Amino acid sequence: MATSTSSISGLSSGLDTASIISQLMLLEAQPQNRLKTQLGTQQSTVQALQSLNAQIAALATQATDAGKANAWSPQQVTSSLAGVTVTSTGSPTTLDVHVQQLATATKVTFDPASATDVVVTGSPVELTVGTTTTTLSTGSGTLGSVAAAINAGSYGVGATVVNLSDGTQRLSLQSTTTGAASTFSLSNVGGLGSPTTTAGQDATIVVGADTLTSSSNTFTAISGLELTISAAAVGQDAHIDVVADKTAAAAKAKSLVDNINAALTQIDTLTSYNPTTKTQGLLSSDAAAGSLRGALFAAVFPTDGTSLSSVGIQSDRYGKLVFDAGAFSAAYAADPGKVTSALSGGSGFVDRIGAVAKAASDSISGSLTGAISGHNVEIQRTQDSIADWDVRLALRQSTLTQQYTNLETTLNQLNSQSSWLAGQLGALSTSK
């Protein structure tokens, strides 16, 4: 709202018209000020909804992950060799592995040549990788241009020019993949002499009576296990243990319960009434938040009328969840499959929580998303109303300024007329 005025302040009336106009404009601006306060509340409400939406979206992601296959069958995998790393998606097991050799890439080197020598002999240079032959555009035909032509495409071979101590150069080629099948050849470069080839080899390990090979240094042939070997393990034996990790399962369940309680607490804070300050939470009248609170809490109860107390998850009288790690661990030790079924499998606890959280936070159809969109529409309307009031108040101030300017002008004219009349009357009195 503009506050300046160009009126002639009190020159004739003695009134501080600028101050009067300023005070009148403060009164005129009260409806706009109420709109600005309302706008601040609306914006704070949207921020609260966005924060809650992010929290619920994270809960939905956590529940989705907890509902995946093997999510409740965590395992602890150990290897006696640092050079053998293992991941497991199968059942607990014990395994002994002997590492024979690593996978290597095929390498080809050529005789030294001068940097200016033309090494291409007649026909175009051809690079054959596997069953694919590519004709290369080698430019001037020097060693450097041959290397550049190879590196210019994604052919599966890398070329390096090595500067030797006698001033000559050597072309060195290497397959970008490893294994016995990583073969390649380069033809029509007779100016570099006969190539020296070091064939690539597969990685090899021995498991029991079986010898396993891999074109990389990772083996997936063992059911439920993925082994990766490094140079530190070559020629050595590795003992691998895969055991069920009961502690990790309990920690996963506790984390889920803690995050559900955090969401419930956040909703309670945003929707509660404070009797001390006599204020309501930003979302006290928001139906989406209230419905979400009830749905999250209700998800702890299985649809068949049973409870989750047998796996250590219960509700308390304060409307929150309680996790009993001891009860969970005992149930898991007795029957991991039964615990997994109660928690996931399509209709378990995490599935119900995930469905509720997704229904609220979905970026298109989520109830919280819809509430945010609705409040944003209200914010835009309020901002438009505030802008309209800016125009209205500017016009009102201009009107008041003109009115008081006219008042001062009129009073000035009256004062001038009064002075003239007084002069005329004085002249009449003198002439008698």
Side-chain angles (χ1 to χ4, degrees):
M1 180 189 73
T3 57
S4 62
T5 176
S6 59
S7 65
I8 304 172
S9 183
L11 291 178
S12 299
S13 66
L15 299 174
D16 185 357
T17 54
S19 179
I20 293 173
I21 293 173
S22 178
Q23 293 300 314
L24 288 172
M25 289 307 301
L26 289 176
L27 293 174
E28 295 281 353
Q30 285 183 356
Q32 187 191 51
N33 290 335
R34 286 193 291 270
L35 285 173
K36 290 180 178 179
T37 300
Q38 178 181 322
L39 176 63
T41 301
Q42 290 171 336
Q43 290 172 331
S44 295
T45 299
V46 167
Q47 290 174 354
L49 280 168
Q50 289 172 332
S51 176
L52 178 60
N53 193 46
Q55 188 174 15
I56 298 303
L59 183 60
T61 299
Q62 183 181 15
T64 298
D65 291 341
K68 292 179 180 178
N70 300 316
W72 296 100
S73 302
Q75 296 175 335
Q76 186 175 35
V77 182
T78 58
S79 170
S80 63
L81 283 180
V84 177
T85 57
V86 186
T87 58
S88 172
T89 58
S91 303
T93 187
T94 296
L95 192 69
D96 289 308
V97 175
H98 176 73
V99 180
Q100 286 189 330
Q101 65 183 29
L102 295 180
T104 60
T106 298
K107 299 177 183 179
V108 176
T109 58
F110 293 87
D111 293 341
S114 169
T116 58
D117 288 347
V118 176
V119 298
V120 177
T121 55
S123 301
V125 175
E126 293 182 337
L127 175 66
T128 301
V129 180
T131 59
T132 302
T133 298
T134 303
T135 299
L136 303 177
S137 177
T138 56
S140 62
T142 61
L143 184 149
S145 62
V146 171
I150 295 172
N151 291 330
S154 300
Y155 305 124
V157 176
T160 303
V161 175
V162 180
N163 294 315
L164 304 179
S165 57
D166 61 1
T168 60
Q169 297 178 329
R170 186 190 301 278
L171 179 64
S172 176
L173 308 180
Q174 180 171 316
S175 173
T176 57
T177 60
T178 57
S182 64
T183 58
F184 66 89
S185 63
L186 189 68
S187 62
N188 301 323
V189 283
L192 292 175
S194 300
T196 300
T197 301
T198 303
Q201 66 180 20
D202 290 336
T204 306
I205 61 174
V206 178
V207 180
D210 298 308
T211 299
L212 305 179
T213 61
S214 171
S215 60
S216 69
N217 290 315
T218 297
F219 294 80
T220 58
I222 304 171
S223 179
L225 290 179
E226 182 177 281
L227 282 73
T228 301
I229 61 175
S230 68
V234 174
Q236 300 189 59
D237 296 319
H239 179 75
I240 298 164
D241 278 319
V242 181
V243 297
D245 192 343
K246 302 174 185 178
T247 302
K252 185 188 294 286
K254 182 180 185 303
S255 175
L256 184 63
V257 169
D258 287 346
N259 287 335
I260 293 170
N261 280 335
L264 294 175
T265 298
Q266 178 72 345
I267 295 172
D268 290 343
T269 300
L270 293 170
T271 58
S272 64
Y273 174 76
N274 188 326
T276 303
T277 61
K278 297 182 179 180
T279 57
Q280 292 182 323
L282 286 169
L283 304 183
S284 58
S285 59
D286 192 282
S291 297
L292 174 60
R293 208 264 185 234
L296 280 176
F297 186 71
V300 72
F301 304 105
T303 55
D304 60 3
T306 60
S307 74
L308 293 175
S309 60
S310 61
V311 295
I313 301 176
Q314 301 183 69
S315 60
D316 63 16
R317 58 177 179 157
Y318 303 106
K320 300 292 174 59
L321 305 186
V322 177
F323 178 71
D324 186 335
F328 180 92
S329 297
Y332 193 87
D335 192 344
K338 184 176 180 180
V339 173
T340 298
S341 178
L343 296 177
S344 60
S347 60
F349 175 52
V350 299
D351 304 299
R352 297 192 298 273
I353 288 294
V356 170
K358 181 172 176 55
S361 63
D362 185 84
S363 60
I364 298 175
S365 61
S367 58
L368 292 178
T369 304
I372 292 170
S373 297
H375 282 289
N376 280 332
V377 170
E378 293 177 0
I379 286 174
Q380 186 59 56
R381 289 173 180 167
T382 303
Q383 289 174 330
D384 290 343
S385 296
I386 291 173
D388 290 342
W389 268 101
D390 283 337
V391 176
R392 191 180 308 173
L393 290 172
L395 180 60
R396 180 57 177 156
Q397 180 167 306
S398 177
T399 300
L400 287 172
T401 299
Q402 188 60 50
Q403 287 175 344
Y404 277 91
T405 298
N406 291 341
L407 172 63
E408 293 294 339
T409 300
T410 301
L411 288 176
N412 183 57
Q413 291 173 347
L414 291 174
N415 287 336
S416 296
Q417 291 175 357
S418 176
S419 297
W420 180 80
L421 288 173
Q424 293 298 315
L425 291 174
L428 289 174
S429 298
T430 305
S431 62
K432 291 180 180 182

